Structure formats: C-alpha cells, structure tokens
Amino acid sequence: MLMQTVAGKLMKVFLTRRIPPEGMKILSAAGVCEVSQWDSDEPVQRADLLKGVQGAHGLLCLLSDKIDAEVLDAAGPNLKVISTLSVGYDHLAIDEIKKRGIRVGYTPDVLTDATAELTVALLLATARRLPEGVEEVKNGGWSSWKPLWLCGYGLSGSTVGVIGLGRIGMAIARRLMPFGVKRLLYSGRTAKDYAAEVNGEYVPLDTLVSESDFIVVSCSLTPETQGMCDKAFFSKMKNTGVFVNSSRGTVVNQEDLYEALSSGQIAAAGLDVTTPEPLPTNHPLLTLKNCVVLPHIGSATYSTRGIMGALSAQNLLGGLQGTDMPSELTF
C-alpha cells in the first residue's frame, strides 16, 4: 500500500503524490496537520484517491488528478482547502468547489520564466530541426556538407504571433525579441498595455495566423480556445509556418495537426502538451520528423519545482488555518 503518514494528530491532509521536499518540510514544521500521502511518483488511482480524501480538511493535488463532485463528496464536510501544484486548474470542478465554500490555492507566476525558456527552446529546436540533426549524427546520416541539408527557419527578420499574451506569453515575447524578430503580433480577449514593451500589435486571430512565421500558443484553456487550432486554423498558416504549443493539449485538434504536417500545409510543430498525456508511443504525430513532442516539461527546473512545492504547502496551510494564502484563486 503506497501510503505514508506523518505523525501529528490535528487536521487531516491528503497529498495525491510525492511533492518536492521544500513543500514537505513546510508541512512538517507547521505542526498543524496529519499528512497522508500517496507515496509514489505515479498518479494516484481513483479508488485510492476517494479513500484517501475521506474526512480530509485539506487536499494537495496535481494537474493529473480530476477533482470533481465525487471526490468532494468522498472528502465530506471537513474539506476547507484544495491546493494544486500547478498554475492550471481545469482539473478542478470549480463550480462544485465554489458551491461548497472550499478555498483553492494554485502556483501561478513562479513557473513563468521556466515555461517561457522551455517554449523558446522548443521553438528553436523545432524550427532548426535539432532532434533530426542529433538523430542523423547517431545513425550515420551525417556525411559531406550539403548546401540545403537540415535547413530550417530563423527568427531574424520574422513575424512571431503569440496567442494569449498573459504572463507566460509576455515572458516568451520578451525572450524572442532579441533574436531580431521584426513584428510581434498577439491575439486574445483584450489588448494589453504592457505589449508596448515588445512593440506588440493586437490583431484578430485570423490575421495573426496568416501573417506569422512562428505561432506560439500560450493561452488558457477555455470553452472558446478548446480545439481552436483545427483544420481551418492550419489552412490559414503559411506553408513555411512553425507552430508551437506549450499551453494545453486540448487547444489543438491533433488529427488536423497531423494532416497539416504530413501534407506540407505547415512546416513544423513543437508540442510540450498533448492529448492525452502521456501521448501513446504509436501516435501518428510521433512518426513525423517535422513534429517535436516533449513530455510536458515546461516548468521542469529544480528551482521552479521546489518553489511550486513550497507555495502549494503554504497555500494549504493558509486554507487550513483560515489565514491568507499566498496564491489564492478568486472565483
């Protein structure tokens, strides 16, 4: 049985996974809760989640844990706070949580820089065909110099379109501009004053898609953005266009993306998020040389994950004790 209990008999807390040690230290030092933990790096099974939350005052979960009415019912009336070790919260049944007066903590801002760095790395790796290059070195495909071998697309003089110029979108834009980007287009619900820092031009989505050499998706998952990147979207892109998504997998229709990539409708795609996650190893996208898929590692730096662990623990304690939470989600 993968359960671990930390001594102390006060408020009961259930952790759905092993979390970074920075977070565990904070919970242990506080001395206000008894911690039960699904002691694994793998996701908790549904039955064990429903059992683990019974009578809990606090729940610390991850993006992969679906926290719905069934889980809330299983927890019972003691549940005061849900702290998620993520910036996203589409795995939480917000309406149900709000109805029951449960507070929610999350970890925004702290992963902005790490995710922006990874997105830029993914864009460069995709546009300049780095994984292909590495493979050619390993399999003996590297022979004499050839003028057009492994040629890709550069950022200098290009037009970049960012869909969703929020915290992460802006951090990506700031990092891309020094590469010599000529125009920075962005789309979203509203124009942003701070876009002036990167000379951002607020344009309709169709304009962004048709005029951009590189398209970076960094928007939130909403009913409007779900499945937004579909056949019609890709058909408006340049044939030389490079598409990058580090937001949520369900923003993209992957069948339509496969068709666009395999037919030459667009040049290449880089994904740090997919549907489902993990992506099955026999998925058609993984057969394509012009599609780079990463295993959702946007925030994966040691320091960022440590800060996320600490923040999720502080949010949990704030909710348990009825005090301020460093990062509370407002409904």
Side-chain angles (χ1 to χ4, degrees), residues 82-118:
I82 296 168
S83 175
T84 182
L85 187 81
S86 63
V87 65
Y89 46 86
D90 39 273
H91 57 304
L92 306 178
I94 294 297
D95 288 344
E96 285 290 333
I97 290 165
K98 185 178 174 183
K99 204 191 298 179
R100 297 165 198 238
I102 298 165
R103 296 170 73 187
V104 175
Y106 67 136
T107 59
D109 301 326
V110 297
L111 47 67
T112 298
D113 288 341
T115 304
E117 285 173 7
L118 189 281

Side-chain angles (χ1 to χ4, degrees), residues 12-13 28 64 67 72 76 91 94 96 102 113 122 152 155 157 194 196 198 218 255 277 287 297 313 329:
K12 182 185 172 184
V13 165
S28 300
S64 50
I67 309 302
L72 301 175
H91 57 304
I94 294 297
E96 285 290 333
I102 298 165
D113 288 341
L122 177 57
L155 280 162
Y194 52 75
V198 290
S218 61
E255 289 71 30
E277 293 182 3
T287 66
I297 52 172
L329 189 60

Side-chain angles (χ1 to χ4, degrees), residues 105-143:
Y106 67 136
T107 59
D109 301 326
V110 297
L111 47 67
T112 298
D113 288 341
T115 304
E117 285 173 7
L118 189 281
T119 305
V120 172
L122 177 57
L123 185 151
L124 291 169
T126 303
R128 295 298 302 274
R129 302 170 66 179
L130 301 193
E132 275 185 84
V134 170
E135 194 52 42
E136 290 292 276
V137 172
K138 289 179 177 178
N139 67 21
W142 183 14
S143 57

Side-chain angles (χ1 to χ4, degrees), residues 177-201:
M177 293 310 285
F179 282 94
V181 170
K182 189 175 179 184
R183 292 177 73 203
L184 192 289
L185 311 180
Y186 73 99
S187 67
R189 285 189 293 266
T190 58
K192 311 289 186 192
D193 292 341
Y194 52 75
E197 185 192 327
V198 290
N199 295 319
E201 301 172 43

Side-chain angles (χ1 to χ4, degrees), residues 219-237:
C219 57
S220 308
L221 178 62
T222 65
E224 295 75 43
T225 61
Q226 185 154 357
M228 170 181 66
C229 304
D230 57 7
K231 186 173 183 176
F233 179 102
F234 296 122
S235 70
K236 296 183 186 102
M237 281 181 65

